[in-house]
Amino acid sequence: SQPAKTRSTTTKSNAGSATQTFTVNGVSFKMVSVQGGTFTMGATSEQGSDFYDDEKPAHQVQVSSFLIGQTEVTQELWQAVMGSNPSWFSGSMKHPVENVSWDDCQTFIRKLNQLTGKNFRLPTEAEWEYAARGGNKSKGYKYSGSNSFGSVAWCVENLPEDGTQPVATKQPNELGIYDMSGNVWEWCQDKYYRYDGRKVEGSFRVIRGGGWNDFVARDCRVSFRFSSSPDYRFFDLGLRLAL
């Protein structure tokens, strides 16, 4: 078979963050450059009383510079890499891919890296939260890009109909990243752990950001944490790439 055609270009997003565009088998996707820094992770003051126990204690974390997907991985990108589309809501290829497990994501990333010669991966939980908060451009919002949930996120409260929505149809956050609150939950690379050091049994992986099927905005906050078994699939669970 013919090798995949891949290329990348670098530009500036409207928010001023550099982006790189990659093209795989005719499908392009953008990665946003996130400058490293130190931030407070967890139940910070803007979260008010909405935080849960496993978001405490808030603590300082240092993150190195990285790239993260401007959007969640779309169905068209997954199709271009894998040759199939596992999504429940497959009416538009511009919707985020969902119904994928952490294990499925690892297979997708291995194939993507074979096609591109890059080292794409899932973001760490700290990278995910740092990017969701706007990195070193953060304005301290409760959700990713706003204190007004409806301007940046899709969930049951504001859906025109049940299901995922096309990526990048809400406002971006401070770095020009879309849908880090709502639309689909996003797998992180890390095993789930407790900030307070309490032992956690099993191999559950972190998922972040909330999804379209959430009935409360509380679960789409930048510090909200959840986890699931690495073989779990559901119709509001997808991924975002890091590099």
Side-chain angles (χ1 to χ4, degrees):
S1 61
Q2 291 293 321
K5 293 181 179 180
T6 66
R7 66 176 187 270
S8 65
T9 58
T10 302
T11 58
K12 284 279 189 178
S13 72
N14 291 336
S17 299
T19 64
Q20 290 189 39
T21 301
F22 298 85
T23 303
V24 180
N25 286 336
V27 175
S28 296
F29 62 100
K30 291 183 178 181
M31 303 287 288
V32 175
S33 178
V34 182
Q35 185 177 344
T38 301
F39 78 108
T40 303
M41 186 173 181
T44 45
S45 60
E46 81 286 338
Q47 301 302 305
S49 60
D50 283 344
F51 64 84
Y52 293 90
D53 183 57
D54 69 348
E55 297 170 41
K56 298 180 68 177
H59 54 289
Q60 292 288 109
V61 177
Q62 185 171 359
V63 178
S64 299
S65 298
F66 62 101
L67 297 175
I68 195 166
Q70 188 178 55
T71 71
E72 296 150 335
V73 170
T74 60
Q75 294 178 27
E76 68 175 350
L77 178 56
W78 188 280
Q79 176 86 41
V81 173
M82 301 293 288
S84 60
N85 182 6
S87 304
W88 287 49
F89 300 102
S90 54
S92 167
M93 298 295 277
K94 298 296 185 182
H95 286 228
V97 71
E98 25 80 9
N99 199 35
V100 292
S101 68
W102 186 91
D103 292 333
D104 295 335
C105 294
Q106 301 304 312
T107 301
F108 166 79
I109 288 168
R110 282 195 298 271
K111 290 190 176 184
L112 177 63
N113 288 341
Q114 290 170 0
L115 292 171
T116 61
K118 303 294 184 181
N119 290 303
F120 291 103
R121 55 183 174 80
L122 293 176
T124 67
E125 185 178 16
E127 288 173 336
W128 191 98
E129 185 169 323
Y130 181 63
R133 289 178 175 272
N136 63 6
K137 298 181 180 180
S138 178
K139 296 180 180 178
Y141 293 131
K142 188 172 188 174
Y143 308 104
S144 185
S146 181
N147 287 322
S148 172
F149 172 79
S151 65
V152 293
W154 291 112
C155 83
V156 167
E157 291 185 2
N158 63 0
L159 286 173
E161 58 185 8
D162 281 357
T164 59
Q165 299 299 309
V167 299
T169 49
K170 290 289 188 177
Q171 296 175 13
N173 76 355
E174 299 94 316
L175 294 173
I177 306 171
Y178 295 88
D179 296 310
M180 294 197 82
S181 291
N183 214 358
V184 294
W185 288 92
E186 302 174 15
W187 287 107
C188 292
Q189 184 64 26
D190 308 38
K191 287 185 177 180
Y192 177 78
Y193 66 99
R194 294 285 305 214
Y195 295 163
D196 59 12
R198 278 189 276 175
K199 187 175 180 180
V200 176
E201 301 291 344
S203 60
F204 276 29
R205 299 284 174 165
V206 174
I207 55 177
R208 284 297 206 114
W212 70 266
N213 199 36
D214 284 277
F215 285 87
V216 289
R218 182 181 186 185
D219 291 354
C220 298
R221 296 172 296 107
V222 292
S223 63
F224 180 72
R225 314 175 68 212
F226 205 61
S227 64
S228 195
S229 171
D231 61 357
Y232 178 73
R233 302 182 182 95
F234 205 56
F235 56 33
D236 63 354
L237 181 53
L239 74 153
R240 186 182 303 264
L241 293 169
L243 180 64

